[in-house]
Structures are given as C-alpha cells and as structure tokens.
Coordinates of all heavy atoms in Angstrom, one line a residue:
M88 N 146.3 -14.2 105.8 CA 147.5 -13.4 106.3 C 147.2 -13.0 107.8 O 148.2 -12.9 108.5 CB 147.7 -12.2 105.4 CG 148.9 -11.4 105.8 SD 150.5 -12.0 105.4 CE 150.4 -12.0 103.6
N89 N 146.0 -12.7 108.1 CA 145.8 -12.3 109.5 C 146.2 -13.3 110.5 O 146.6 -12.9 111.6 CB 144.3 -11.9 109.6 CG 143.9 -11.1 110.8 OD1 144.8 -10.5 111.4 ND2 142.7 -11.1 111.2
H90 N 146.0 -14.5 110.3 CA 146.3 -15.6 111.3 C 147.9 -15.7 111.5 O 148.3 -15.9 112.5 CB 145.7 -16.9 110.9 CG 146.2 -17.5 109.6 ND1 145.7 -17.0 108.4 CD2 147.1 -18.4 109.3 CE1 146.4 -17.6 107.4 NE2 147.2 -18.5 107.9
I91 N 148.6 -15.4 110.4 CA 150.1 -15.4 110.5 C 150.5 -14.2 111.4 O 151.4 -14.4 112.3 CB 150.7 -15.2 109.1 CG1 150.4 -16.5 108.3 CG2 152.2 -15.0 109.2 CD1 150.8 -16.4 106.8
L92 N 149.9 -13.0 111.2 CA 150.2 -11.8 112.0 C 149.9 -12.1 113.4 O 150.7 -11.8 114.3 CB 149.5 -10.7 111.4 CG 149.8 -9.3 112.2 CD1 151.3 -9.0 112.2 CD2 149.1 -8.2 111.5
R93 N 148.7 -12.7 113.6 CA 148.3 -12.9 115.1 C 149.2 -13.9 115.7 O 149.6 -13.7 116.9 CB 146.9 -13.5 115.1 CG 145.9 -12.4 114.8 CD 144.5 -12.8 115.3 NE 144.1 -14.2 114.9 CZ 143.4 -14.5 113.7 NH1 142.9 -13.5 113.1 NH2 143.1 -15.7 113.4
A94 N 149.7 -14.9 115.0 CA 150.6 -15.9 115.6 C 151.9 -15.3 115.9 O 152.5 -15.6 117.0 CB 150.8 -17.1 114.7
T95 N 152.4 -14.4 115.0 CA 153.7 -13.8 115.2 C 153.6 -12.8 116.4 O 154.5 -12.7 117.3 CB 154.1 -13.0 113.9 OG1 154.1 -13.9 112.9 CG2 155.4 -12.4 114.1
L96 N 152.5 -12.0 116.5 CA 152.4 -11.2 117.7 C 152.2 -11.9 119.0 O 152.7 -11.4 120.0 CB 151.1 -10.3 117.4 CG 151.3 -9.2 116.3 CD1 149.9 -8.6 116.1 CD2 152.2 -8.1 116.8
A97 N 151.8 -13.1 118.9 CA 151.7 -14.0 120.1 C 153.0 -14.6 120.4 O 153.1 -15.4 121.5 CB 150.7 -15.0 120.0
G98 N 154.0 -14.4 119.6 CA 155.4 -14.9 119.9 C 155.6 -16.4 119.5 O 156.5 -17.1 120.0
L99 N 154.8 -16.8 118.5 CA 154.9 -18.2 118.1 C 155.9 -18.4 117.0 O 156.1 -19.6 116.6 CB 153.5 -18.7 117.6 CG 152.5 -18.6 118.7 CD1 151.1 -19.1 118.1 CD2 152.9 -19.6 119.8
G100 N 156.6 -17.4 116.5 CA 157.6 -17.6 115.5 C 157.8 -16.4 114.6 O 157.4 -15.3 114.9
L101 N 158.5 -16.6 113.5 CA 158.8 -15.6 112.5 C 157.7 -15.5 111.4 O 157.1 -16.6 111.2 CB 160.1 -15.8 111.9 CG 161.3 -16.0 112.8 CD1 162.6 -16.3 112.0 CD2 161.5 -14.6 113.5
A102 N 157.6 -14.4 110.8 CA 156.6 -14.3 109.7 C 157.3 -13.5 108.6 O 158.1 -12.5 108.8 CB 155.4 -13.6 110.1
W103 N 157.1 -13.9 107.3 CA 157.5 -13.2 106.2 C 156.2 -12.6 105.5 O 155.5 -13.3 104.8 CB 158.2 -14.1 105.2 CG 158.8 -13.4 104.1 CD1 159.5 -12.3 104.0 CD2 158.9 -13.9 102.7 NE1 159.9 -11.9 102.8 CE2 159.5 -12.9 101.9 CE3 158.3 -15.0 102.1 CZ2 159.7 -13.1 100.6 CZ3 158.6 -15.2 100.7 CH2 159.2 -14.2 100.0
V104 N 156.0 -11.3 105.8 CA 154.8 -10.7 105.3 C 155.2 -9.3 104.7 O 156.3 -8.8 105.1 CB 153.8 -10.5 106.5 CG1 153.3 -11.9 106.9 CG2 154.3 -9.7 107.6
P105 N 154.3 -8.7 104.0 CA 154.6 -7.3 103.4 C 154.8 -6.3 104.5 O 154.1 -6.4 105.5 CB 153.3 -7.1 102.5 CG 152.8 -8.4 102.2 CD 153.1 -9.3 103.4
E106 N 155.7 -5.5 104.3 CA 156.1 -4.5 105.3 C 154.9 -3.6 105.7 O 154.8 -3.3 106.9 CB 157.2 -3.7 104.8 CG 157.8 -2.7 105.8 CD 158.9 -1.8 105.3 OE1 158.9 -1.4 104.1 OE2 159.8 -1.5 106.1
D107 N 154.1 -3.2 104.8 CA 153.0 -2.3 105.1 C 152.0 -2.9 106.1 O 151.3 -2.2 106.7 CB 152.3 -1.7 103.9 CG 151.7 -2.8 103.0 OD1 152.2 -4.0 103.0 OD2 150.8 -2.5 102.2
I108 N 152.0 -4.2 106.1 CA 151.1 -4.9 107.1 C 151.6 -4.8 108.5 O 150.8 -4.6 109.5 CB 150.8 -6.3 106.7 CG1 150.0 -6.3 105.4 CG2 150.1 -7.1 107.8 CD1 149.8 -7.7 104.8
V109 N 152.9 -5.0 108.6 CA 153.6 -5.0 110.0 C 154.2 -3.8 110.5 O 154.6 -3.7 111.6 CB 154.6 -6.2 110.1 CG1 153.9 -7.5 109.9 CG2 155.7 -6.0 109.1
L110 N 154.3 -2.8 109.6 CA 155.0 -1.5 110.0 C 154.4 -0.9 111.3 O 155.2 -0.5 112.1 CB 155.0 -0.5 108.8 CG 155.9 0.6 109.0 CD1 157.4 0.1 109.2 CD2 155.9 1.5 107.7
P111 N 153.1 -0.8 111.4 CA 152.6 -0.2 112.7 C 153.1 -1.0 114.0 O 153.4 -0.4 115.0 CB 151.1 -0.3 112.6 CG 150.9 -0.4 111.1 CD 152.0 -1.1 110.5
H112 N 153.2 -2.3 113.8 CA 153.6 -3.2 114.9 C 155.2 -3.0 115.2 O 155.6 -3.0 116.3 CB 153.2 -4.7 114.7 CG 151.8 -4.9 114.5 ND1 150.9 -4.7 115.5 CD2 151.1 -5.1 113.4 CE1 149.7 -5.0 115.1 NE2 149.8 -5.2 113.8
I113 N 155.9 -2.8 114.2 CA 157.4 -2.6 114.3 C 157.5 -1.2 114.9 O 158.3 -1.1 115.9 CB 158.0 -2.6 112.9 CG1 158.0 -4.1 112.3 CG2 159.4 -2.1 113.0 CD1 158.5 -4.2 110.9
E114 N 156.8 -0.2 114.5 CA 157.0 1.2 115.1 C 156.5 1.2 116.6 O 157.1 1.9 117.3 CB 156.2 2.1 114.3 CG 156.8 2.4 112.9 CD 155.9 3.2 112.0 OE1 154.7 3.5 112.3 OE2 156.3 3.7 111.0
A115 N 155.6 0.4 116.9 CA 155.1 0.3 118.3 C 156.0 -0.6 119.2 O 155.8 -0.6 120.4 CB 153.6 -0.2 118.4
G116 N 156.9 -1.4 118.6 CA 157.8 -2.2 119.3 C 157.3 -3.5 119.6 O 157.9 -4.3 120.4
R117 N 156.2 -3.9 119.0 CA 155.6 -5.2 119.2 C 156.3 -6.3 118.4 O 156.3 -7.5 118.8 CB 154.1 -5.2 118.9 CG 153.3 -4.4 119.9 CD 151.8 -4.5 119.6 NE 151.4 -3.9 118.4 CZ 151.0 -2.7 118.3 NH1 151.0 -1.8 119.3 NH2 150.7 -2.2 117.1
L118 N 156.9 -5.9 117.3 CA 157.6 -6.7 116.4 C 159.0 -6.2 116.1 O 159.1 -4.9 116.1 CB 156.9 -7.0 115.1 CG 155.5 -7.8 115.2 CD1 154.9 -7.9 113.8 CD2 155.8 -9.2 115.8
V119 N 160.0 -7.0 115.7 CA 161.3 -6.5 115.2 C 161.6 -7.1 114.0 O 161.2 -8.2 113.7 CB 162.4 -6.7 116.3 CG1 162.1 -6.0 117.6 CG2 162.5 -8.3 116.6
R120 N 162.4 -6.5 113.2 CA 162.9 -7.0 111.9 C 164.0 -7.9 112.2 O 164.9 -7.7 113.0 CB 163.3 -5.9 111.0 CG 162.3 -5.1 110.4 CD 162.9 -4.1 109.4 NE 161.8 -3.5 108.7 CZ 161.6 -2.1 108.8 NH1 162.3 -1.4 109.6 NH2 160.5 -1.6 108.1
V121 N 164.0 -9.1 111.5 CA 165.2 -10.0 111.6 C 165.6 -10.3 110.1 O 164.8 -10.1 109.1 CB 164.8 -11.3 112.3 CG1 164.5 -11.0 113.7 CG2 163.7 -12.0 111.5
L122 N 166.9 -10.6 109.9 CA 167.5 -10.9 108.6 C 167.3 -9.8 107.6 O 167.0 -10.0 106.5 CB 166.9 -12.2 108.1 CG 167.0 -13.4 109.0 CD1 166.3 -14.6 108.4 CD2 168.4 -13.8 109.1
E123 N 167.3 -8.6 108.1 CA 167.1 -7.4 107.3 C 168.1 -7.3 106.1 O 167.7 -6.8 105.0 CB 167.2 -6.1 108.1 CG 166.6 -4.9 107.4 CD 166.4 -3.7 108.3 OE1 166.6 -3.8 109.5 OE2 166.0 -2.7 107.8
N124 N 169.3 -7.8 106.3 CA 170.3 -7.7 105.2 C 169.9 -8.6 104.1 O 170.4 -8.5 102.9 CB 171.7 -8.2 105.7 CG 172.2 -7.1 106.7 OD1 171.8 -6.0 106.6 ND2 173.2 -7.6 107.5
W125 N 169.0 -9.7 104.3 CA 168.6 -10.5 103.2 C 167.2 -10.2 102.7 O 166.6 -10.9 101.8 CB 168.6 -11.9 103.7 CG 169.9 -12.5 103.9 CD1 170.8 -13.1 103.0 CD2 170.7 -12.4 105.1 NE1 172.0 -13.4 103.5 CE2 172.0 -13.0 104.9 CE3 170.5 -11.9 106.4 CZ2 173.0 -13.2 105.8 CZ3 171.5 -12.1 107.4 CH2 172.8 -12.7 107.0
C126 N 166.7 -9.1 103.0 CA 165.3 -8.6 102.5 C 165.5 -7.4 101.6 O 165.5 -6.3 102.1 CB 164.5 -8.3 103.8 SG 164.1 -9.7 104.8
D127 N 165.6 -7.7 100.4 CA 165.7 -6.6 99.4 C 164.4 -5.8 99.4 O 163.4 -6.4 99.5 CB 166.1 -7.2 98.0 CG 167.4 -7.7 98.0 OD1 168.3 -7.3 98.7 OD2 167.6 -8.7 97.2
P128 N 164.5 -4.6 99.0 CA 163.2 -3.8 98.8 C 162.4 -4.5 97.7 O 162.9 -5.0 96.8 CB 163.7 -2.4 98.4 CG 165.1 -2.4 98.8 CD 165.7 -3.8 98.8
F129 N 161.1 -4.4 97.9 CA 160.1 -5.0 96.9 C 160.0 -4.1 95.7 O 159.4 -2.9 95.9 CB 158.8 -5.2 97.7 CG 157.8 -5.9 96.7 CD1 158.0 -7.1 96.2 CD2 156.6 -5.2 96.4 CE1 157.0 -7.8 95.4 CE2 155.7 -5.8 95.6 CZ 155.9 -7.1 95.1
P130 N 160.5 -4.4 94.6 CA 160.4 -3.5 93.4 C 159.1 -3.3 92.7 O 158.8 -2.5 92.0 CB 161.4 -4.1 92.4 CG 161.3 -5.6 92.7 CD 161.1 -5.7 94.2
G131 N 158.1 -4.2 93.0 CA 156.8 -4.2 92.4 C 156.2 -5.5 92.2 O 156.8 -6.6 92.5
Y132 N 155.1 -5.5 91.7 CA 154.3 -6.8 91.5 C 154.7 -7.4 90.1 O 155.0 -6.7 89.2 CB 152.8 -6.5 91.5 CG 152.3 -6.1 92.8 CD1 152.1 -4.8 93.1 CD2 152.0 -7.0 93.8 CE1 151.7 -4.3 94.4 CE2 151.5 -6.6 95.1 CZ 151.4 -5.3 95.3 OH 150.9 -4.9 96.5
H133 N 154.6 -8.7 90.1 CA 154.7 -9.4 88.8 C 153.5 -10.3 88.7 O 153.3 -11.2 89.5 CB 156.0 -10.4 88.8 CG 157.3 -9.5 88.9 ND1 157.8 -8.9 87.9 CD2 158.0 -9.2 90.0 CE1 158.9 -8.3 88.3 NE2 159.0 -8.5 89.6
L134 N 152.7 -10.0 87.8 CA 151.4 -10.7 87.6 C 151.4 -11.4 86.3 O 151.6 -10.8 85.2 CB 150.3 -9.7 87.7 CG 148.9 -10.3 87.6 CD1 148.6 -11.1 88.8 CD2 147.9 -9.1 87.6
Y135 N 151.2 -12.7 86.3 CA 151.0 -13.5 85.1 C 149.6 -14.0 84.9 O 149.1 -14.6 85.9 CB 152.0 -14.7 85.2 CG 153.4 -14.2 85.2 CD1 154.1 -14.1 86.4 CD2 154.1 -13.9 84.1 CE1 155.4 -13.7 86.5 CE2 155.4 -13.4 84.2 CZ 156.1 -13.4 85.4 OH 157.3 -12.9 85.5
Y136 N 149.1 -13.8 83.8 CA 147.7 -14.2 83.6 C 147.6 -14.5 82.0 O 148.2 -13.8 81.2 CB 146.7 -13.2 84.1 CG 146.8 -11.9 83.4 CD1 145.9 -11.5 82.4 CD2 147.7 -10.9 84.0 CE1 146.1 -10.2 81.8 CE2 147.7 -9.7 83.4 CZ 146.9 -9.3 82.3 OH 147.0 -8.1 81.8
P137 N 146.6 -15.4 81.7 CA 146.5 -15.6 80.2 C 145.7 -14.4 79.5 O 144.5 -14.2 79.8 CB 145.5 -16.9 80.2 CG 144.9 -16.9 81.5 CD 145.8 -16.1 82.5
N138 N 146.5 -13.7 78.7 CA 145.9 -12.5 78.1 C 145.2 -12.8 76.8 O 144.5 -12.0 76.2 CB 146.9 -11.4 77.9 CG 148.0 -11.8 77.0 OD1 148.0 -12.9 76.5 ND2 148.9 -10.9 76.7
R139 N 145.2 -14.1 76.4 CA 144.6 -14.4 75.1 C 143.2 -14.9 75.3 O 142.4 -15.0 74.4 CB 145.4 -15.6 74.5 CG 146.7 -15.2 74.0 CD 147.4 -16.2 73.1 NE 148.7 -15.7 72.7 CZ 149.8 -16.2 73.2 NH1 149.8 -17.2 74.1 NH2 150.9 -15.7 72.8
R140 N 142.8 -15.1 76.6 CA 141.4 -15.4 76.9 C 140.7 -14.2 77.3 O 141.3 -13.2 77.8 CB 141.4 -16.4 78.0 CG 142.0 -17.8 77.7 CD 141.8 -18.7 78.8 NE 142.7 -19.8 78.8 CZ 143.1 -20.6 79.8 NH1 142.6 -20.4 80.9 NH2 143.9 -21.5 79.6
Q141 N 139.4 -14.3 77.4 CA 138.6 -13.1 77.9 C 138.8 -13.1 79.4 O 138.5 -14.0 80.1 CB 137.1 -13.3 77.5 CG 136.3 -12.2 77.9 CD 134.9 -12.3 77.4 OE1 134.5 -13.3 76.8 NE2 134.0 -11.3 77.7
T142 N 139.3 -12.0 79.9 CA 139.4 -11.9 81.3 C 138.2 -11.3 82.0 O 137.4 -10.6 81.4 CB 140.6 -10.9 81.6 OG1 140.4 -9.6 81.0 CG2 141.9 -11.4 81.1
S143 N 138.0 -11.7 83.3 CA 136.8 -11.3 83.9 C 137.0 -9.9 84.4 O 138.1 -9.3 84.4 CB 136.7 -12.2 85.2 OG 137.7 -11.9 86.1
P144 N 135.9 -9.2 84.6 CA 135.9 -7.8 85.1 C 136.7 -7.6 86.4 O 137.4 -6.6 86.6 CB 134.5 -7.4 85.2 CG 133.8 -8.3 84.3 CD 134.5 -9.6 84.3
A145 N 136.6 -8.6 87.2 CA 137.3 -8.6 88.5 C 138.8 -8.6 88.3 O 139.6 -7.9 88.9 CB 136.9 -9.7 89.4
L146 N 139.3 -9.5 87.4 CA 140.8 -9.6 87.1 C 141.2 -8.3 86.4 O 142.3 -7.7 86.8 CB 141.1 -10.8 86.2 CG 142.6 -10.9 85.9 CD1 143.5 -11.0 87.1 CD2 142.8 -12.1 85.0
T147 N 140.4 -7.7 85.5 CA 140.8 -6.5 84.8 C 140.9 -5.3 85.9 O 141.9 -4.6 85.8 CB 139.8 -6.1 83.8 OG1 139.7 -7.2 82.9 CG2 140.1 -4.9 83.1
L148 N 140.0 -5.3 86.8 CA 140.0 -4.3 87.9 C 141.3 -4.4 88.7 O 142.0 -3.4 89.1 CB 138.8 -4.3 88.7 CG 138.6 -3.3 89.8 CD1 138.5 -1.9 89.2 CD2 137.4 -3.6 90.6
R149 N 141.7 -5.7 89.0 CA 142.8 -5.9 89.9 C 144.1 -5.6 89.2 O 145.0 -4.9 89.7 CB 142.8 -7.4 90.3 CG 144.1 -7.8 90.9 CD 144.4 -7.2 92.2 NE 143.4 -7.6 93.2 CZ 143.3 -7.1 94.5 NH1 144.1 -6.3 94.9 NH2 142.4 -7.5 95.3
V150 N 144.2 -5.9 87.9 CA 145.4 -5.6 87.1 C 145.5 -4.0 87.0 O 146.7 -3.5 87.2 CB 145.3 -6.2 85.7 CG1 146.4 -5.7 84.8 CG2 145.4 -7.8 85.8
D151 N 144.4 -3.3 86.7 CA 144.5 -1.9 86.7 C 144.9 -1.3 88.0 O 145.7 -0.3 88.0 CB 143.1 -1.3 86.2 CG 142.9 -1.6 84.7 OD1 143.8 -2.0 84.0 OD2 141.7 -1.5 84.3
A152 N 144.4 -1.8 89.1 CA 144.7 -1.2 90.4 C 146.2 -1.5 90.7 O 146.9 -0.6 91.3 CB 143.9 -1.9 91.4
L153 N 146.7 -2.6 90.4 CA 148.1 -2.8 90.7 C 149.0 -2.0 89.7 O 150.1 -1.6 90.1 CB 148.4 -4.4 90.5 CG 147.9 -5.3 91.6 CD1 148.0 -6.7 91.2 CD2 148.5 -4.9 92.9
R154 N 148.6 -1.9 88.5 CA 149.5 -1.2 87.5 C 149.6 0.3 87.8 O 150.6 0.9 87.7 CB 148.8 -1.3 86.1 CG 149.6 -0.7 85.0 CD 149.0 -0.9 83.7 NE 149.1 -2.3 83.3 CZ 148.1 -2.9 82.6 NH1 147.1 -2.3 82.2 NH2 148.3 -4.2 82.3
Y155 N 148.5 0.9 88.3 CA 148.5 2.3 88.6 C 148.5 2.6 90.1 O 148.2 3.7 90.5 CB 147.3 3.0 88.0 CG 147.2 2.7 86.4 CD1 146.4 1.9 85.9 CD2 148.3 3.4 85.7 CE1 146.3 1.7 84.5 CE2 148.2 3.2 84.3 CZ 147.3 2.2 83.7 OH 147.3 2.1 82.4
R156 N 149.1 1.7 90.9 CA 149.2 1.9 92.3 C 150.2 2.9 92.6 O 151.4 2.9 92.1 CB 149.6 0.6 93.0 CG 149.6 0.7 94.5 CD 149.9 -0.6 95.1 NE 149.7 -0.6 96.5 CZ 150.5 -1.1 97.3 NH1 151.7 -1.7 96.9 NH2 150.4 -1.1 98.6
G157 N 149.9 4.0 93.4 CA 150.9 5.1 93.8 C 151.0 6.1 92.7 O 151.5 7.0 92.6

C-alpha cells in the first residue's frame, strides 16, 4: 500500500485506499478527495475463512482484532 500512496503523492494518478491512511495528507492539502459521491462509508470488514479446519493462532488473533476493533 505504501508504494500506491507514494505514487499518488508524487502526482502519478488516483488511488483508492482506506481513508485512515490518507486522512493526514488530505488535511494537509497534499491530496484531495475525488468521486466522493460514489464512495459510501465503509460499514466494516467482511472476512471469509474456513472455520471447519483448525485455524492458525495468527488468523485467530487477526479475526479477534477485527471483530473487537473500536
């Protein structure tokens, strides 16, 4: 994701990235929002994984972190 942000800041095009990543740049005036009418608020994560198999501790930690975020 970092290379996309760097390219966008360099003026090489548009980027579709999570708002929390670019918000400091928008507030500083380095980036501007475009097509805002077509960007609905993000309601949350949708994670699909095979729950019938034994999940790794790393995946379990990620699922718990996403589930209880905020």
Side-chain angles (χ1 to χ4, degrees):
M88 181 76 65
N89 195 19
H90 61 284
I91 295 171
L92 180 58
R93 283 196 315 259
T95 305
L96 288 167
L99 298 176
L101 301 176
W103 185 42
V104 294
E106 184 181 38
D107 58 335
I108 292 174
V109 295
L110 195 57
H112 301 288
I113 292 171
E114 291 173 347
R117 292 186 292 270
L118 295 175
V119 296
R120 287 186 173 113
V121 296
L122 303 174
E123 193 167 357
N124 292 339
W125 288 273
C126 296
D127 293 331
F129 182 63
Y132 294 96
H133 298 277
L134 182 63
Y135 298 97
Y136 60 95
N138 63 356
R139 291 189 182 108
R140 293 186 203 157
Q141 184 176 2
T142 57
S143 70
L146 179 59
T147 302
L148 184 63
R149 171 63 68 183
V150 170
D151 289 343
L153 291 172
R154 182 177 293 143
Y155 301 109
R156 185 174 188 229

